[in-house]
Amino acid sequence: MIGGYALRRELGRGGMGVVHLAATPAGSLAAVKVIHPHLARDPAFRRRFDREVAAARRVARFCTAPVLDAGVEDGVAYLVTEYVRGPDLAQAVREQGPLTGANLEALAVGIATALHAIHGAGVIHRDLKPSNVLLSPLGPRVIDFGIAQLVDTESLASQAILGTPAFMAPEQVRGEPLTPAADVYAWGGVIAFAGTGRLPFGGGSPSEVLYRIVSDGPNLEGLDESVRAVVERAMAKDPARRPSAQRLLDELVGGRPTPATASQVVERAWAGGGPVAPGGAGLREGSAVAAGPGVAGKPGATGGSGAPGEPGVVRRPGASGEPPAVGGPGAPGEPAVVGGPGAPGGSALSGEAAVAGAPVRSGVTVARRRRWPWAAGVAVLVAVLVSGVTLYAGSGAPTSPYRAGFAESWAVGASDGGSTELDGGVYLLTANPGWRLWKSAPFSEGSAGGVVVSSRMRLREGSGEFGVWCRGDADTGDRYEFTVTASGEASITKRHDGRGVVLHGPVRMRKSADNRVVARCAQQGERVVLGMWLNEEPVGETEDAQDPYGPGAVGVHAAPDTATPVLVGFQSFEVRPAEG
C-alpha cells in the first residue's frame, strides 16, 4: 500500500522507479509510479518531481495518460496516472513488425495530438520515444513526463542532456536550450521507427548514435510515402524549420483540426473505418485512411482503454428495492423474467463492433486492411460490410415495448474483434482479446423519460465482463454500461471520449451461471438516474448530472479480461419505458 493505493503487480521499471498496476481507494485501476528511494531523498530530484506533477496536471487529456494523484509517504514519492491497457510501441513493433497505411497514420495523428496538448500546457516532454507511447484499444497514448520541464527561463537555460539518445534532437545532443521543436523532431523519429522497424540513426554505442544525429540525416528508406514528407520536415536539423505540433495536425488531418477533432480522427482511423472528422475535417486527401465516411467510437477505456474499473471512480450509495417490471404488457410492476429458455431471442448484431464501439452506418463500405490485435478500439464488422449487407440505421425502428427476436435486424457476422451468430435463438457474442464488442438493438429510446433494459445471459467460454447498455450515441460511442463479470461483480460505467468512469461499483454479487441484468435509465430534471439489478437483487442506484446523455440506442456488450476470447450467449433482450 502507498497513499491509499493497493499495488497489485509490477508493470515496468525505469530510471525513475517502478510502475505498478494498483487498485484505487474507490476500487478502480490506476498506474502508480513509485520513485526509487535514493532519488526521492535528493532535494534536486524532488524539485524536479514536483515540476513533473505540476506540468502533467496542466496537460489536457487528449491522447495522453492523465495524472490522477501524487504524493510522498514515509519518504517515498509516488505518481498516479490513468491505467492504459495495451503494449508500448517498441514492444508492438518488435513482436509484430512495422505499421503501415491506416495504422501508421493514426499513430502519427495521435502522437501529434498528444504533443499539441503537452505544448499547449507550456511543457516540453523531452523524452518522447516508442516505449513512452502506449497502444490502447482506442489509439496511442503518450505517457511519462518524468523529465518534462516547464517552458520557462530555467528550462530554456538548462544544459543537461536528458532523454533517450536514439530520439534526441540535434540541439538536445549539443546541450542547447530546448523548445517544443525538440519534441517534434522526436515525433519524426518515433514515426520513422514505427513505419520501418529501424532506429532512424541506426544502432551502436550512444556516442556513435549521437554523432549521426548531429551530422547525418535519418534513414527513412521504406517509410510509407503518406507520412514520409511530414517526417522529413519534422526531423530538419534546424529547429526553426520544423513544423509545430498544430502544423503536424494540419498536414496530417487537413484543415485546422482541434485536439478534440484530431482525437476523433485517431479513434476512427484506429478502427479502420475511414475517418471523417466533425465539421468536414478528415485525413488529408490521398491518405490511406481517408477511404470513406466512418463513424467514431468514443468510449472509454476507453485508458482509455475500455477496461473495467478505470480511474475516476465515483462511489454512490446502493439502492434498495425490486427491479422494475420488464414483463409483458399484462404484468405491470412484476419483476418478470425476461425471455427464459423458450423465449425468442438470440444473437444478432446491429453492425457495431469495437473495444469501445464505433457503430457503422448503413451503406458504408470499408476495405480490408492488416490490423494488429491491439489496434481494435472501434472496429468494423468487415465481413458484414464487404458482403454488402445493409445494417440497421435507425429508420423504421420497432416501438416500445421492444422484445428481441435476434434474427430480425440484429447484425450477424465476423470481424477482427470477434463474431456474432445465432444458435437456436440465442445471440452468441464472441469478443477477442483487446476488444470491447458492443452491439445495438434495432431500437432507440423515443422518450426522454427513459427506459428499462433487461437481458438474460450466460458466460459460455473464457473470462471477462458482459451486460447491457443504454443512451448510446452512434457517432461518439458514448453510453451507460451495466456490467457483470465472470466473478460476479457488477458495476455501472459511463463511457465517454475513449474512457470509462465507474459511477457505481464494482459490487460483489452472488455468482451465477445464468445472469439476468435489469438496467433503468431514467431522466429526472437535468440528471439521469441509473439503477441496476442482477438476478432480481439490487446492485445499486446512481445518478449522472455531469453532462448526462440523452435518449439514444440500447444494446449488449462483452469484453475479455484475459488473453483468450470470451463467449457470451444472450438469451433475451427487452426494452420498456421507465415509469416513475
Side-chain angles (χ1 to χ4, degrees):
M1 296 288 296
I2 185 169
Y5 298 89
L7 308 184
R8 290 185 173 179
R9 61 181 173 87
E10 185 177 315
L11 294 175
R13 290 175 173 265
M16 281 181 60
V18 181
V19 181
H20 300 264
L21 177 66
T24 72
S28 61
L29 297 178
V32 177
K33 180 192 295 183
V34 179
I35 308 303
H36 291 313
H38 72 277
L39 289 174
R41 289 191 294 268
D42 180 358
F45 176 84
R46 285 288 297 275
R47 287 193 296 271
R48 214 175 99 219
F49 177 74
D50 291 342
R51 282 201 301 270
E52 172 187 355
V53 174
R57 287 185 180 277
R58 292 169 53 178
V59 174
R61 302 169 69 97
F62 299 112
C63 297
T64 63
V67 168
L68 306 176
D69 192 11
V72 178
E73 184 175 278
D74 297 329
V76 178
Y78 63 92
L79 179 69
V80 184
T81 66
E82 184 177 273
Y83 171 54
V84 178
R85 189 183 296 268
D88 65 54
L89 178 60
Q91 174 188 348
V93 171
R94 182 173 62 251
E95 294 177 354
Q96 303 188 51
L99 285 76
T100 58
N103 285 332
L104 182 61
E105 292 192 0
L107 179 79
V109 174
I111 300 176
T113 301
L115 288 184
H116 186 286
I118 292 168
H119 297 165
V123 176
I124 305 174
H125 190 294
R126 296 175 64 98
D127 196 22
L128 181 64
K129 57 186 177 181
S131 61
N132 278 340
V133 178
L134 298 183
L135 303 177
S136 83
L138 295 176
R141 295 288 184 266
V142 173
I143 64 168
D144 198 356
F145 307 128
I147 57 173
Q149 301 223 352
L150 296 179
V151 181
D152 55 21
T153 304
E154 178 184 352
S155 64
L156 288 174
S158 173
Q159 299 298 307
I161 296 181
L162 298 172
T164 302
F167 300 94
M168 282 184 178
E171 63 272 24
Q172 193 170 7
V173 174
R174 293 190 292 263
E176 297 172 355
L178 297 186
T179 68
D183 287 344
V184 171
Y185 186 95
W187 172 90
V190 168
I191 302 306
F193 168 80
T196 66
R198 300 187 310 269
L199 295 174
F201 293 94
S205 68
S207 60
E208 291 174 327
V209 174
L210 295 176
Y211 175 82
R212 295 188 203 112
I213 289 174
V214 173
S215 306
D216 302 332
N219 180 5
L220 302 182
E221 183 179 353
L223 183 63
D224 276 13
E225 291 300 323
S226 60
V227 298
R228 180 164 178 163
V230 185
V231 169
E232 287 176 342
R233 286 191 289 276
M235 300 189 76
K237 298 296 184 191
D238 182 358
R241 295 179 54 207
R242 298 173 203 151
S244 64
Q246 177 65 65
R247 182 59 184 166
L248 288 177
L249 291 178
D250 296 348
E251 294 190 36
L252 291 166
V253 179
R256 190 170 180 81
T258 65
T261 297
S263 294
Q264 292 178 9
V265 169
V266 172
E267 291 171 4
R268 297 175 189 187
W270 213 244
V276 175
L283 288 175
R284 67 192 184 294
E285 185 177 356
S287 161
V289 197
V295 186
K298 278 189 172 183
T302 136
S305 69
E310 291 163 345
V313 172
V314 180
R315 280 192 175 275
R316 306 239 182 221
S320 60
E322 296 299 318
V326 196
E334 293 291 326
V337 173
V338 180
S347 115
L349 297 189
S350 69
E352 298 174 308
V355 166
V360 182
R361 293 173 183 163
S362 63
V364 178
T365 300
V366 180
R368 292 181 179 271
R369 294 192 183 94
R370 171 178 179 261
R371 186 191 310 285
W372 294 8
W374 43 261
V378 214
V380 180
L381 286 177
V382 177
V384 176
L385 294 178
V386 172
S387 68
V389 175
T390 299
L391 305 179
Y392 169 74
S395 61
T399 57
S400 177
Y402 166 75
R403 187 165 185 166
F406 290 111
E408 301 173 359
S409 302
W410 290 65
V412 178
S415 71
D416 290 339
S419 64
T420 52
E421 59 181 308
L422 283 170
D423 179 17
V426 176
Y427 187 42
L428 298 180
L429 195 160
T430 302
N432 288 337
W435 290 70
R436 186 174 205 87
L437 225 52
W438 57 289
K439 306 301 172 184
S440 289
F443 175 92
S444 292
E445 302 174 53
S447 168
V451 293
V452 175
V453 183
S454 80
S455 179
R456 183 172 293 279
M457 60 202 74
R458 172 186 279 259
L459 176 63
R460 294 196 172 189
E461 296 178 12
S463 176
E465 61 177 39
F466 44 92
V468 301
W469 50 270
C470 68
R471 300 214 160 195
D473 187 316
D475 288 330
T476 64
D478 293 352
R479 63 193 183 278
Y480 296 111
E481 286 185 351
F482 302 81
T483 299
V484 59
T485 68
S487 61
E489 292 186 335
S491 59
I492 303 173
T493 301
K494 181 179 183 179
R495 298 279 174 195
H496 173 67
D497 196 22
R499 297 177 173 84
V501 176
V502 179
L503 300 178
H504 182 78
V507 177
R508 177 72 67 177
M509 305 293 287
R510 283 186 302 162
K511 188 175 179 180
S512 175
D514 285 295
N515 289 281
R516 177 175 177 251
V517 173
V518 178
R520 183 173 184 266
C521 308
Q523 191 75 38
Q524 291 188 6
E526 298 299 317
R527 57 199 173 97
V528 173
V529 177
L530 307 165
M532 181 179 180
W533 291 258
L534 178 63
N535 300 325
E536 319 311 329
E537 295 184 7
V539 173
E541 185 175 273
T542 185
E543 63 181 48
D544 181 23
Q546 240 1 59
D547 297 321
Y549 301 151
V554 295
V556 298
H557 70 276
D561 59 10
T562 66
T564 59
V566 62
L567 170 60
V568 181
F570 292 88
Q571 303 165 22
S572 65
F573 185 85
E574 183 167 336
V575 186
R576 298 182 60 83
E579 299 180 9

